[in-house]
């Protein structure tokens, strides 16, 4: 066991998972977090009897959390429990169609055949390819650094090539889906998976089709108590293992000597460590903590993922036709993505996502007879737009959309309203331009262009979280923590 110290900057999901793994390797681990709470984007709040998860709402790959507890030899049940959802999402279209996307693929295919006349065989084929690609290709991205030579020897590269379809790289996700399905409704439904990493399905490679594997082969899950339970579980486990957290402590600088890390500056005080892991957005890490504007400018060249405008509404009524996850689709999906990634203009008919945790745990997240609506639209990352004007614009567009589909005016039912914009996402979690997932995957090489999990020029400096490899989203950040801890083990204690 090592007695060296590791300093982690940021207590987001990636930072806490890295803290747990490195503590288990024997390091003394200190986490400095600028906020006075853990979790970063994975946070929650309560107001007037309504509880809202503030950021992520969809939970997939629960085994990644279980892995951390198993590694720590700590029973998970006192900390965390979850259930599989029967329906991953309810999809509403303006012609009145509602598709229940069952997590059981046979029920899902049956529903699709009934509602869209799409032959079940097409769904099975699609999900079969997604599963193979996920297991063989995504496995390399999720468990290995793409930037060290050992990956070539360790990762099952040949198996990955065997599962690689040319179309995954040559076609856009939309073109791939159009060739897989007859029904435009299904093309739109499967195009949506590009938004899971903040990308544009009309540009992002068909490789993103493998994301559908998670929901429709493995399942969508709900953590008891809401998404905040993930933060609480990781934080409690880290504390139990002896990780030290310092809240309200913003790291001002990563200090180096002879191109080696030697610690961080916090409140003008030096804290020494020969290994530092930054869970802060990588662009801001270079710009503010390493004072390296050239490197920061290089990162800035990559296109940002989309951001979001979120309205947290306490609704004075219950809607039985809605489930935990609901999508009200735009009539013009292509136009919507063109607005988000190309023109940057407000879009009149946005796709609206509504998450209602009170559906799974009635009475726990909203007063009886009421519902906690997390209402989100995708918007461009912040480039200085007038967000208060956009907030008013989207509030109107969202209400219009919901009213049309539900056939009822919801505006008088909104008794509580809070908003999160790209600007507040950036100010709360230091995520550059408020993008949800770091950089977008809108080009074929994007997966390879994400910043590595380590610095090539400063020994002892590592990176974890949504802005670096393997990417944003809770499962990817958890996988990134595993990659970082393996890189550190290989370098500093290969015999562990
Ligand atoms: C609205 C929204 C919806 C989302 N939906 C989903 C979803 O449904 N499913 C999903 O899987 N993912 C979703 N995501 C993405 C998911 O939230 C993130 O990928 C994940 O939480 C990011 O974790 P992270 O490790 O990158 O850290 P972050 O959450 O970005 O945390 C970084 C931490 O570093 C701290 N920090 C920054 N600078 C400093 C400094 N100088 N000193 C000290 N501390 C510092 C910050 O305060 C913060 O706590 C969503 C995100 C948002 C915002």
């Amino acid at each position: 066991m090592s007695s060296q110290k590791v300093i982690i900057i940021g207590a987001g999901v990636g930072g806490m998972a890295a803290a747990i793994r490195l503590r288990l390797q024997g390091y003394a681990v200190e986490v400095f977090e600028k906020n006075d709470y853990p979790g970063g984007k994975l946070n929650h709040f309560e107001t007037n009897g309504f509880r809202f998860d503030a950021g992520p709402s969809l939970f997939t790959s629960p085994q990644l959390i279980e892995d951390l507890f198993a590694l720590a030899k700590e029973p998970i049940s006192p900390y965390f429990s979850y259930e599989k959802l029967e329906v991953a999402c309810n999809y509403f279209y303006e012609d009145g169609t509602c598709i229940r996307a069952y997590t059981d693929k046979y029920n899902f295919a049956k529903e699709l055949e009934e509602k869209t006349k799409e032959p079940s065989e097409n769904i099975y084929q699609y999900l079969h390819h997604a599963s193979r690609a996920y297991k063989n290709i995504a496995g390399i991205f999720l468990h290995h650094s793409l930037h060290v030579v050992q990956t070539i020897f360790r990762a099952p590269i040949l198996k990955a090539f065997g599962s690689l379809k040319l179309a995954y790289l040559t076609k856009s996700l939309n073109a791939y889906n159009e060739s897989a399905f007859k029904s435009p409704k299904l093309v739109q439904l499967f195009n949506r998976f590009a938004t899971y990493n903040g990308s544009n399905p009309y540009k992002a490679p068909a490789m993103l089709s493998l994301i559908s594997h998670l929901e429709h082969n493995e399942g969508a899950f709900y953590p008891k108590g809401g998404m905040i339970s993930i933060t609480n579980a990781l934080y409690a486990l880290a504390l139990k293992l002896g990780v030290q957290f310092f809240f309200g402590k913003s790291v001002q600088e990563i200090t180096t000597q002879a191109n080696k890390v030697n610690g961080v500056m916090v409140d003008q005080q030096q804290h020494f460590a020969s290994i530092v892991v930054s869970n802060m957005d990588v662009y801001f890490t270079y710009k503010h903590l390493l004072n390296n504007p050239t490197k920061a400018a290089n990162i800035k060249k990559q296109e940002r993922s989309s951001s979001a405008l979120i309205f947290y509404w306490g609704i004075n009524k219950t809607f039985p036709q809605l489930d935990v996850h609901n999508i009200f689709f735009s009539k013009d999906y292509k136009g919507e993505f063109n607005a988000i990634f190309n023109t940057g203009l407000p879009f009149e008919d946005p796709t609206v996502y509504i998450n209602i945790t009170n559906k799974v745990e009635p009475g726990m997240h909203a007063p009886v007879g009421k519902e906690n609506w997390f209402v989100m639209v995708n918007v461009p990352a912040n480039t200085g737009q007038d967000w208060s004007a956009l907030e008013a614009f989207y509030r109107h567009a969202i209400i219009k959309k919901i009213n049309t589909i539900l056939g009822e005016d919801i505006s008088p039912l909104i008794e509580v309203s809070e908003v999160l914009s790209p600007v507040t996402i950036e100010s709360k979690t230091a995520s550059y331009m408020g993008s949800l997932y770091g950089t977008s995957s809108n080009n074929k090489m994007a997966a390879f262009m994400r910043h590595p999990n380590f610095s090539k020029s400063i020994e002892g400096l590592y990176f974890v979280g949504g802005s670096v490899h393997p990417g944003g989203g809770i499962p990817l950040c958890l996988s990134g923590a595993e990659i970082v801890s393996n890189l550190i083990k290989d370098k500093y204690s290969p015999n562990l």
Side-chain angles (χ1 to χ4, degrees), residues 9-15 32-35 39-42 54-58 249-251 279-280 289 308 310 374 376 420 425 428-431 436-437 464-467 472-475 477:
I9 304 167
V13 173
F32 289 92
E33 166 56 56
K34 81 172 174 62
N35 293 330
K41 298 185 183 82
L42 219 176
S57 52
L58 177 67
K249 296 287 172 195
S250 185
V251 172
N279 183 213
M280 183 190 196
L289 306 192
I310 297 134
F374 166 111
M376 177 172 125
L420 186 75
I425 292 172
K428 285 185 174 175
T429 60
S431 300
L436 302 191
Y437 306 97
V464 70
S467 65
I474 297 164
C477 293

Side-chain angles (χ1 to χ4, degrees), residues 359-384:
K359 292 283 183 193
V360 206
E361 296 177 309
M364 278 185 63
H365 307 262
V368 176
K370 303 183 181 187
E371 287 179 341
N372 61 334
W373 285 21
F374 166 111
V375 182
M376 177 172 125
V377 290
N378 293 314
V379 294
N382 177 36
T383 50

